[in-house]
């Protein structure tokens, strides 16, 4: 489908040459020429040491990585997986991969062996870049299991350090078609396959840049803090690409959440704009004071419903949080509140100008004529097609809309669970639980949690020779945590006699959710 003509006017903010482009020219190269000494990235590591990159330095490091891919004979359009914490190489390799004309696939660092292997396999990985700590999770015979995998680069080993140093700091961005894939984000689903790579194009930057200006209100002189890991779409799009395209300074905190540490980080770095999730805003509540927010111009929220309680609390501290709604599949924000738009209590805002929204069968549906919309789901064309009905893209989220176009979120229409704003498919977790010798059947749902929005609960039918015990519950939780993913394990387990199913054998999770509410 053709783009809504509105987007034409935003194209001028992005470097496009006769319909060809590479988004990294807009994110890096133009700023490296105009403002070479401006701070681009500032890291604070777990051990409290720091490291900074100006736009020029970041461009040079990125170019070296793109040259290294060439040296390794990696052809443009290859798939480069990035399995790293929030450290410079995660950002440099993401940018370098896209500049090389290849596809960056950042992965959340909490994935364990089976979660990692599944994604490398599904995504036909050509290259995996990681560090020696996370490399322990790579299955031993990985090259057999993932035959496409040509190189594993370990960034803290001597060979990589030597090889990257030798590369030239010059590299001309490879020009791509606007619709070519720049980034692939592995996300969870309950339709089609539970784990699939959503493809986001180079031209998505038009909408990502525009929404960073309109909603995040980012300006070149801002000190910006996006709390998401690049393995989640927010962390890639609004943690790396969009803010760099604006030309502001991004501050990155490697350490996991700690309220006191975050507040110190915000004050020390004079952060002016924050993009985070309601869970984090709730976890900050006991520590944060009005004076901590003095330097902050804008806080935006994403990933789960911004509850009235969170909104009200920050309002008493003098900040009206802007809610933003989007999903991996939309590639950029599609609904939000922003400066100058009247807010309505309890509403997540209105459609971004250029987005046409309609509620069809209670579902938020979008006209598929905006530039950031996913272009495909890797190797799952049918699953991709199923998102579209009668020329409307269906989000799978339920909401209502009022006469003025304000949207009020209701909830997911499928079984996807959002825990701490992170997306989990219950099917993924059930299939891991089934690998444990004690488990005959399992069903996973999200149950309400005051802080995290939802936590995972598993209902388990045990095999004959196993007895119910607290110890076994803990073992099963740990089994998922250690084998699959550190962020997506069931925190609560209940043993049951049977699991409600349809005639065709499909789990009726709705029934389990209803039982929980009673
Ligand atoms: P992800 O693809 O991981 O970014 O998750 C997208 C999903 O998160 C959406 O489909 C919604 O279910 C949920 N979500 C995102 N933003 C909001 C919001 N502002 N309010 C409520 N739910 C949201």
């Amino acid at each position: 489908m053709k783009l809504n003509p509105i987007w034409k006017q935003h194209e001028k903010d992005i470097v496009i040459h006769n319909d060809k482009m590479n988004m990294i020219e807009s994110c890096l190269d133009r700023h490296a020429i105009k403002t070479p000494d401006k701070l681009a990235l500032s890291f604070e590591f777990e051990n409290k040491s720091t490291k900074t990159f100006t736009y020029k330095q970041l461009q040079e490091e990125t170019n070296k990585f793109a040259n290294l891919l060439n040296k390794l004979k990696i052809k443009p359009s290859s798939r480069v997986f990035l399995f790293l914490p929030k450290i410079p190489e995660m950002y440099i390799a993401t940018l370098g991969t896209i500049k090389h004309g290849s596809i960056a696939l950042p992965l959340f660092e909490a994935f364990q062996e089976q979660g990692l292997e599944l994604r490398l396999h599904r995504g036909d990985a050509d290259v995996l870049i990681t560090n020696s700590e996370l490399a322990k999770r790579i299955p031993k015979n990985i090259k057999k299991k993932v035959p496409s995998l040509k190189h594993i680069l370990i960034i803290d080993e001597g060979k990589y350090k030597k090889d990257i140093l030798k590369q030239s700091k010059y590299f001309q961005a490879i020009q791509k078609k606007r619709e070519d894939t720049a980034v692939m984000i592995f996300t969870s689903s309950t339709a089609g396959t539970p784990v699939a790579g959503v493809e986001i194009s180079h031209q998505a930057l038009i909408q990502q840049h525009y929404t960073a200006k309109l909603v995040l209100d980012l300006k070149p002189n801002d000190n910006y803090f996006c709390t998401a890991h690049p393995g989640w779409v927010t962390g890639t799009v609004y943690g790396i690409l969009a803010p760099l395209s604006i030309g502001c300074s991004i501050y990155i905190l490697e350490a996991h959440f700690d309220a006191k540490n975050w507040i110190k980080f915000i004050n020390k770095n004079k952060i002016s704009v924050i993009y985070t999730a309601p869970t984090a805003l709730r976890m900050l509540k006991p520590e944060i004071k009005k004076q901590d927010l003095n330097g902050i111009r804008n806080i935006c929220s994403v990933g789960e419903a911004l509850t009235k309680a969170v909104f009200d609390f920050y309002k008493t501290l003098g900040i009206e949080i802007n809610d933003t709604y989007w999903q991996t599949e939309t590639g950029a924000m599609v609904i939000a509140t922003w400066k100058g738009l009247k807010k309505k209590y309890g509403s997540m805002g209105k459609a971004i100008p250029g987005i046409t929204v309609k509620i069809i069968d209670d579902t938020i549906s979008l006209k598929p004529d905006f530039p950031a919309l996913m272009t495909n789901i890797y190797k799952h064309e049918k699953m991709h097609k199923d998102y579209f009905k009668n020329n409307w893209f269906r989000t799978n989220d339920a909401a209502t809309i009022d006469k003025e176009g304000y949207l009020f979120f209701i909830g997911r229409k499928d079984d996807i669970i959002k825990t701490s704003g992170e997306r989990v498919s219950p099917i993924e977790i059930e299939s891991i639980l089934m690998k444990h010798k004690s488990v005959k059947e399992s069903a996973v749902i999200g149950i309400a949690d005051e802080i995290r929005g939802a936590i995972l609960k598993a209902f388990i039918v045990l095999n004959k020779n196993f007895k119910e015990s607290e110890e076994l519950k803990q073992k099963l939780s740990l089994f998922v945590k250690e084998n699959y993913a550190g962020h997506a394990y069931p925190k609560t387990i209940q043993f049951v006699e049977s699991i409600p199913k349809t005639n065709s054998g499909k789990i009726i999770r709705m029934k389990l959710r209803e039982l929980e509410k009673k």
Side-chain angles (χ1 to χ4, degrees), residues 482-511:
E482 288 182 347
N483 288 296
Y484 193 71
H487 66 288
Y489 61 95
K491 290 211 167 55
T492 327
I493 287 184
Q494 184 179 334
F495 296 117
V496 288
E497 297 273 301
S498 63
I499 282 169
K501 294 215 185 94
T502 60
N503 286 342
S504 59
K506 223 174 143 236
I507 298 169
I508 315 174
R509 289 191 196 78
M510 179 69 102
K511 220 169 193 171

Side-chain angles (χ1 to χ4, degrees), residues 33 42 85 137 146 148 293 296 315 349 444 459 499:
I33 295 168
S42 173
R137 302 183 196 163
V146 183
S148 56
L293 297 172
I296 294 175
K315 197 169 174 193
V444 172
F459 296 85
I499 282 169

Side-chain angles (χ1 to χ4, degrees), residues 187 233 301-306 323-329 348 395 397 409 412 418 423:
T187 194
V233 75
S301 164
V302 69
E304 32 168 334
L306 174 64
D323 198 3
T324 70
Y325 167 88
W326 60 297
Q327 48 183 203
T328 308
E329 294 88 333
M348 59 187 183
T395 59
D397 285 308
F409 186 79
R412 292 284 313 187
K418 277 305 203 90
R423 182 164 160 173

Side-chain angles (χ1 to χ4, degrees), residues 110-312:
F111 284 111
Q112 302 292 331
E113 189 170 321
Q114 294 181 31
L116 173 65
E117 184 194 320
L118 180 69
R119 284 159 178 79
L120 293 174
H121 185 261
R122 284 278 163 87
D124 292 329
D126 291 289
V127 180
L128 167 64
I129 171 158
T130 187
N131 63 16
S132 47
E133 189 52 37
L134 294 178
K136 292 178 190 153
R137 302 183 196 163
I138 303 173
K140 282 199 181 66
N141 50 352
I142 189 70
K143 290 208 175 159
K144 227 182 194 173
K145 288 180 165 162
V146 183
S148 56
L149 189 60
K150 297 172 195 76
H151 295 279
I152 299 175
L153 310 177
I154 314 274
I155 57 147
D156 47 352
E157 279 185 356
K159 176 158 174 32
Y160 178 83
K161 287 187 189 168
K162 239 172 41 206
D163 286 350
I164 195 84
L165 262 182
K166 278 194 243 156
Q167 303 308 312
S168 156
K169 55 187 186 191
Y170 300 102
F171 185 92
Q172 196 73 41
I174 299 299
Q175 294 303 310
K176 307 287 287 183
K177 285 196 210 116
R178 293 163 56 133
E179 302 80 15
D180 280 349
T181 308
V183 176
M184 204 192 284
I185 300 285
F186 268 84
T187 194
S188 304
S189 165
T190 50
T193 166
V195 179
V198 169
E199 300 192 42
I200 298 172
S201 67
H202 280 265
Q203 74 168 357
L205 191 67
I206 300 167
Q207 187 178 337
Q208 294 163 352
H209 178 92
Y210 171 60
T211 46
K213 253 191 347 191
L214 176 78
V215 181
L216 296 177
D217 191 27
L218 275 182
K219 299 184 171 51
N221 58 0
D222 272 313
N223 288 352
Y224 171 64
F225 179 33
C226 170
T227 63
H229 183 279
W232 303 112
V233 75
T234 301
T236 319
V237 170
Y238 294 102
I240 309 179
L241 303 172
L244 287 177
S245 80
I246 297 281
C248 67
S249 302
I250 306 175
Y251 286 78
I252 299 141
L253 186 57
E254 184 195 4
H256 292 272
F257 183 84
D258 173 88
K260 283 199 175 105
N261 194 26
W262 271 35
I263 294 167
K264 232 196 239 160
F265 181 81
I266 290 166
N267 284 321
K268 190 169 70 189
N269 295 305
K270 300 191 169 48
I271 300 296
S272 48
V273 177
I274 299 179
Y275 196 24
T276 192
T279 293
L281 292 166
R282 276 191 288 270
M283 286 161 100
L284 276 174
K285 267 170 74 178
E287 297 291 338
I288 200 145
K289 308 268 175 324
K290 199 172 166 64
Q291 65 265 28
D292 297 320
L293 297 172
N294 278 348
I296 294 175
R297 200 175 75 246
N298 189 15
I299 299 182
C300 291
S301 164
V302 69
E304 32 168 334
L306 174 64
T307 52
K308 288 178 180 167
V310 174
F311 183 83
D312 288 345

